[in-house]
């Protein structure tokens, strides 16, 4: 038993320690950037990066653990030799990745991933790109790191001993322990017991992007990137000639008015930006839905400005997040938020308001590691991120974390005397499946649609309760409240994937800072249009939000573009068209939709995905 435990545990921690050494080498190689970090931040780089090191150490240990198991059963030294050969193959390969990353990071500004694979078919350009690299220094570091790894492994593996002859009952026990240890590797591989498996967000902790990058384990990052195929090199949506596509898209954003109507009583209002999970327009009474589901939202609509024809840009939370906060189009089969190096290049509402002196915070009752949302928010320069782990464990009363009324209570408790002006972003979760709620159901029925309806009603109750309490706060009169959904929903009605009704969502502006009440805007727009609409009310330039228009601009072209799986939809006053990229044919084309609208939809899909690839 002792021999088996010695081999498995020592092997696993050999790789963990090796990756910690590699992180130290990375910090030394980039000492000019490391010098900007405090001792505490350097310590956090190692601490936060440890989970990723443990994860990849576990991946590497799967085969050796199997070899140790076989050696225990058959008592053959050949299995120990196989574990050693495997390690001597992996060490030079991984060392090469780690050393290559040292210089590539200096040139690219992001940790090594699958991006270099796109250059394999152009070796001349690849060699040219590396021509200025300090080859001799990197070669020396490669040899030194490889020698450290080999010496460390040999010193550790010398203690391995072949299992002696023993009773069958003892062998059975050891085999059971070996199987358990092999299965236990799943835990570090996925990063722990939490609901969301390990991703890059878990090593992001600082607003200094280098500190976050330094925590990334390079071999893990390469593997994850290849598996997730985050780095497409060819645009799958090449419908028309590029210049023509660019021209068609530009038509959608020209011309613009010199001025737009002012909606605010104050120049620099606080902003409560509330993102409502799965809040489809179909259940909103003020938007034509049944009045009994959202009585509080319906009442608020009378106190503010309701936008009737707003569409989600996609059908996932992480996609809606980028569209809402960065005004950036959504991708079909992937999402830009999953690639931190790309989201670093996106503008964000929080960053823009922070430059104006706003205090920024983000509240979510679940885990922000979901879909790499945390890395995106850190890139957006939020001052404070609060998530499930910031709530007492007794409040974990939802499958996803804490329910909405507890989330809103936390926001209110933290805003008794806040520094103003502030941007507080709140993302609800209770109306996400499995639609469990902490209150008695308002509507009878156990079918899924009714469960969703009840969760929707519960969130409305929690929202109404929060707004009622917020109105009693001294900051309310200086506060603009934004209520919008992250995406729509197939329920009710079981909409098919491309249906425009699935993507129609509410957008409501209310709050004490608003000068206009009980008003309706019928302009067709998208989630991507919200940020510039808000910023122009504050007199802030919005040129960096190139994929957006002001919803209050009378000259702006009214349209909404959204994507689903492998196709797009485009809504204009002429009607809606949805297009399937696989069949290369429209799925839906309402009467009155001109051919040009289809071409503009194709152009938008082509150019927006092309822009995503270039990020």
């Amino acid at each position: 038993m002792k021999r088996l435990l010695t081999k498995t545990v020592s092997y696993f921690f050999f790789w963990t320690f090796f990756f910690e050494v590699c992180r130290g080498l990375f910090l030394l190689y980039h000492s000019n950037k490391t010098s900007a970090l405090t001792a505490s931040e350097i310590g956090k780089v190692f601490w936060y990066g440890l989970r990723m090191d443990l994860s990849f150490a576990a991946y590497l240990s799967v085969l050796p653990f199997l070899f140790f198991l076989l050696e225990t059963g058959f008592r053959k030294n050949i299995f120990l030799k196989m574990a050693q050969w495997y390690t001597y193959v992996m060490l030079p390969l991984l060392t090469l990745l780690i050393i290559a990353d040292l210089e590539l990071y200096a040139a690219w500004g992001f940790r090594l991933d699958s991006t270099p694979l796109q250059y394999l078919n152009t070796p001349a350009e690849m060699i040219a790109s590396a021509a200025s690299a300090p080859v001799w220094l990197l070669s020396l570091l490669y040899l030194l790191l490889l020698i450290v790894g080999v010496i460390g492994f040999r010193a550790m593996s010398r203690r391995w001993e072949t299992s002696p002859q023993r009773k069958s009952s003892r062998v059975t026990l050891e085999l059971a322990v070996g199987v358990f240890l092999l299965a236990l590797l799943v835990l570090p591989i996925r990063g722990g017991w939490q609901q969301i498996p390990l991703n890059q967000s878990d090593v992001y902790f600082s607003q200094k992007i280098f500190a976050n990058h330094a925590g990334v384990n390079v071999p893990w990052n390469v593997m994850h990137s290849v598996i997730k195929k985050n780095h497409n090199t060819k645009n799958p949506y090449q419908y028309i000639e590029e210049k023509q596509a660019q021209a068609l898209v530009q038509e959608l954003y020209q011309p613009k008015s010199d001025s737009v109507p002012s909606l605010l009583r104050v120049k620099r209002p606080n902003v409560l930006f509330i993102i409502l999970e799965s809040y489809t327009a179909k259940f909103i009474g003020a938007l034509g839905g049944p009045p009994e589901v959202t009585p509080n939202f319906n009442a608020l609509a009378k106190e503010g400005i309701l936008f009737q024809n707003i569409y989600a840009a996609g059908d996932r939370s992480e996609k809606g997040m980028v569209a809402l906060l960065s005004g950036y189009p959504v991708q079909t089969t992937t999402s830009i938020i999953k690639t931190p190096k790309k989201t670093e290049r996106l503008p964000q509402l929080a960053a823009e308001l922070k430059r104006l002196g706003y205090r920024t915070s983000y509240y979510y009752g679940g885990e922000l590691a979901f879909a790499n949302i945390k890395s995106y928010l850190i890139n957006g320069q939020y001052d404070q991120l609060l998530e499930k782990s910031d709530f007492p464990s007794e409040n974990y009363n939802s499958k996803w974390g804490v329910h909405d009324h507890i989330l809103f209570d936390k926001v209110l408790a933290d805003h008794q005397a806040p520094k103003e002006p502030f941007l507080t972003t709140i993302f609800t979760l209770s109306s996400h499946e499995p639609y469990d709620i902490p209150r008695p159901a308002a509507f009878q029925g156990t079918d899924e649609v009714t469960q969703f309806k009840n969760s929707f009603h519960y969130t409305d109750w929690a929202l109404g309760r929060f707004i009622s309490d917020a109105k009693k706060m001294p900051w309310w009169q200086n506060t603009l409240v934004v209520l919008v959904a992250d995406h729509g929903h197939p329920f009710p009605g079981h909409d098919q994937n491309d249906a425009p009704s699935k993507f129609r969502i509410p957008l409501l502006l209310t709050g004490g800072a608003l000068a206009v009440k009980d008003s309706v805007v019928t302009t067709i727009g998208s989630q991507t249009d919200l940020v510039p609409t808000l910023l122009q009310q504050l007199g802030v330039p919005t040129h960096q939000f190139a994929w957006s228009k002001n919803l209050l601009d009378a000259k702006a072209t009214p349209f909404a573009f959204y994507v689903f799986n492998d196709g797009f939809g485009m809504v204009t006053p002429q009607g809606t068209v949805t297009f399937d990229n696989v069949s290369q044919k429209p799925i839906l084309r309402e009467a009155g939709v001109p051919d040009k609208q289809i071409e503009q939809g194709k152009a938008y899909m082509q150019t927006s995905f092309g822009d995503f690839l270039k990020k």
Side-chain angles (χ1 to χ4, degrees):
M1 183 75 72
K2 182 180 178 182
R3 292 181 177 86
L4 177 62
L5 290 174
T6 298
K7 284 178 282 199
T8 52
V9 173
S10 63
Y11 190 86
F12 176 76
F13 283 107
F14 158 74
W15 280 116
T16 303
F17 181 76
F18 178 77
F19 293 135
E20 290 289 288
V21 170
C22 294
R23 181 166 291 107
L25 177 61
F26 178 84
L27 291 170
L28 286 173
Y29 192 84
H30 296 284
S31 58
N32 59 326
K33 292 183 172 68
T34 305
S35 62
L37 305 181
T38 64
S40 173
E41 287 171 329
I42 292 173
K44 287 181 178 179
V45 166
F46 284 92
W47 176 249
Y48 279 81
L50 181 61
R51 278 180 72 191
M52 202 171 275
D53 294 341
L54 292 169
S55 177
F56 202 74
Y59 276 112
L60 292 170
S61 297
V62 171
L63 272 179
F65 275 35
L66 180 60
F67 293 146
F68 298 151
L69 185 63
L70 293 171
E71 188 277 331
T72 299
F74 294 101
R75 299 184 298 282
K76 298 291 185 181
N77 193 54
I78 184 62
F79 294 112
L80 297 184
K81 293 292 184 184
M82 291 172 71
Q84 291 174 331
W85 296 336
Y86 164 84
T87 307
Y88 288 135
V89 169
M90 297 305 299
L91 268 172
L93 291 176
L94 297 178
T95 302
L96 180 62
L97 288 178
I98 289 158
I99 297 301
D101 169 72
L102 294 178
E103 187 59 26
L104 288 173
Y105 183 82
W108 293 349
F110 59 86
R111 301 306 296 271
L112 184 65
D113 52 26
S114 66
T115 301
L117 296 178
Q118 64 185 285
Y119 300 113
L120 292 179
N121 59 345
T122 55
E125 288 82 352
M126 192 173 180
I127 294 171
S129 299
S132 61
V135 177
W136 289 108
L137 174 61
L138 293 172
S139 298
L140 178 61
L141 290 175
Y142 176 83
L143 288 174
L144 288 175
L145 185 58
L146 183 58
I147 288 169
V148 167
V150 170
I151 291 175
F153 177 69
R154 291 187 67 180
M156 179 267 294
S157 60
R158 273 199 205 101
R159 297 193 295 271
W160 292 358
E161 297 177 10
T162 306
S163 301
Q165 294 285 347
R166 57 237 187 272
K167 294 180 180 179
S168 60
S169 59
R170 182 67 179 271
V171 173
T172 301
L173 176 61
E174 290 184 354
L175 288 174
V177 171
V179 170
F180 172 75
L181 292 172
L182 182 60
L184 195 62
L185 289 175
V186 173
L187 190 60
I189 281 174
R190 73 185 308 278
W193 292 111
Q194 77 286 349
Q195 188 173 8
I196 308 300
L198 180 73
N199 61 39
Q200 290 99 326
S201 284
D202 291 301
V203 303
Y204 275 51
F205 68 93
S206 172
Q207 292 194 3
K208 297 177 181 177
I209 196 63
F210 174 74
N212 297 326
H213 288 170
V216 172
N217 178 293
V218 166
W220 187 98
N221 203 49
V222 172
M223 178 194 68
H224 183 266
S225 177
V226 170
I227 292 173
K228 295 296 182 182
K229 299 179 180 178
N230 280 337
H231 300 277
N232 302 299
T233 58
K234 184 180 179 182
N235 191 339
Y237 307 111
Q238 289 292 147
Y239 299 113
I240 54 182
E241 197 271 330
E242 187 62 25
K243 285 186 178 180
Q244 182 187 359
Q246 294 283 353
L248 285 169
V249 171
Q250 280 302 109
E251 283 185 33
L252 294 169
Y253 293 107
Q254 297 293 339
K256 297 180 180 178
S257 301
D258 295 330
S259 63
V260 294
S262 177
L263 307 178
L264 301 175
R265 295 174 42 257
V266 293
K267 184 178 180 181
R268 291 285 183 266
N270 305 312
V271 179
L272 277 175
F273 198 107
I274 304 175
I275 305 171
L276 301 165
E277 170 67 52
S278 303
Y279 245 56
T280 172
K282 292 178 290 182
F283 266 149
I284 305 289
L287 294 173
E292 70 274 10
V293 182
T294 56
N296 291 291
F297 189 101
N298 301 341
L300 289 172
K302 295 292 184 180
E303 301 175 9
I305 303 171
L306 180 66
F307 293 78
Q308 284 190 329
N309 292 302
I310 303 300
Y311 292 82
D315 54 6
R316 300 292 301 175
S317 296
E318 71 275 13
K319 296 184 179 186
M321 199 75 60
V322 175
L324 287 170
L325 301 179
S326 292
Y328 194 73
V330 166
Q331 298 73 51
T332 48
T333 55
T334 185
S335 175
I336 193 170
I337 204 171
K338 296 179 181 178
T339 313
K341 72 170 187 181
K342 291 181 181 287
T343 59
E344 290 170 18
R345 299 166 186 168
L346 293 178
Q348 282 200 46
L349 175 63
E352 295 300 317
L353 293 185
K354 192 171 181 179
R355 278 191 275 273
L356 299 178
Y358 277 69
R359 168 73 179 174
T360 58
S361 58
Y362 190 102
Y363 288 76
Y364 180 49
E367 296 174 10
L368 286 176
F370 173 73
N372 255 344
I373 290 174
K374 184 180 178 182
S375 66
Y376 169 70
L377 297 175
I378 290 177
N379 288 337
Q381 301 179 38
Y382 275 93
D383 294 314
Q384 186 180 27
L385 302 177
L386 290 100
E387 55 178 321
K388 177 181 175 180
S389 59
D390 296 299
F391 292 83
S393 57
E394 60 266 23
N395 288 336
Y396 297 170
N397 53 358
S398 162
K399 176 179 172 58
W400 288 91
V402 302
H403 273 300
D404 293 345
H405 77 280
I406 296 175
L407 174 69
F408 283 129
D409 286 348
K410 173 67 174 172
V411 175
L412 209 61
D414 291 351
H415 287 68
Q416 293 299 303
K419 180 182 177 182
E420 300 183 59
F422 60 78
L423 164 68
T424 299
T425 307
I426 307 168
F427 183 22
T428 69
L429 59 69
S430 296
S431 44
H432 193 292
E433 62 266 24
Y435 315 125
D436 56 326
I437 56 174
R439 301 182 79 234
F443 308 104
Q444 297 301 311
T446 57
D447 60 283
E448 195 174 5
V449 176
T450 304
Q451 290 179 37
F452 175 51
K453 185 178 180 181
N454 276 311
S455 70
F456 211 94
H457 181 269
Y458 159 73
T459 295
D460 180 79
W461 168 81
L463 173 66
R465 180 171 167 266
F466 169 71
I467 295 294
S468 178
D469 290 338
K471 286 179 178 179
K472 302 171 187 175
M473 295 294 168
W475 45 260
W476 174 258
Q477 291 303 316
N478 297 323
T479 299
L480 174 67
V481 180
V482 180
L483 295 170
V484 66
D486 60 339
H487 54 77
H489 204 282
F491 298 157
H494 297 277
D495 288 335
Q496 65 180 36
N497 206 29
D498 68 305
S501 54
K502 175 189 169 186
F503 290 84
R504 184 167 169 249
I505 59 172
L507 170 59
L508 174 64
L509 304 182
T510 187
L514 207 59
V516 181
K517 308 288 185 181
D518 196 12
S519 180
V520 173
V521 176
T522 59
T523 301
I524 296 172
S526 165
Q527 287 175 321
T528 56
D529 302 324
L530 181 51
V531 169
T533 301
L534 294 177
L535 291 179
Q536 288 189 30
Q537 287 294 310
L538 276 60
V540 178
T542 60
H543 57 85
Q544 65 271 46
F545 297 92
W547 297 91
S548 308
K549 63 181 182 292
N550 190 327
L551 292 168
L552 301 171
D553 187 342
K555 289 186 178 180
T557 302
F559 81 97
F561 179 91
Y562 61 82
V563 301
F564 53 89
N565 195 27
D566 201 8
F568 67 84
M570 190 167 184
V571 185
T572 72
Q574 286 72 44
T576 301
V577 62
T578 63
F579 188 88
D580 175 43
N581 186 59
V582 178
S583 65
Q584 293 285 296
K585 295 178 181 178
I587 304 171
L588 166 70
R589 182 177 182 177
E590 293 179 348
V593 171
D595 292 340
K596 185 176 181 179
Q597 183 171 326
I598 300 175
E599 292 305 299
Q600 280 187 312
K602 290 179 179 179
Y604 200 101
M605 175 77 101
Q606 176 176 322
T607 56
S608 63
F609 201 88
D611 188 79
F612 157 74
L613 292 176
K614 294 173 186 175
K615 289 291 185 191

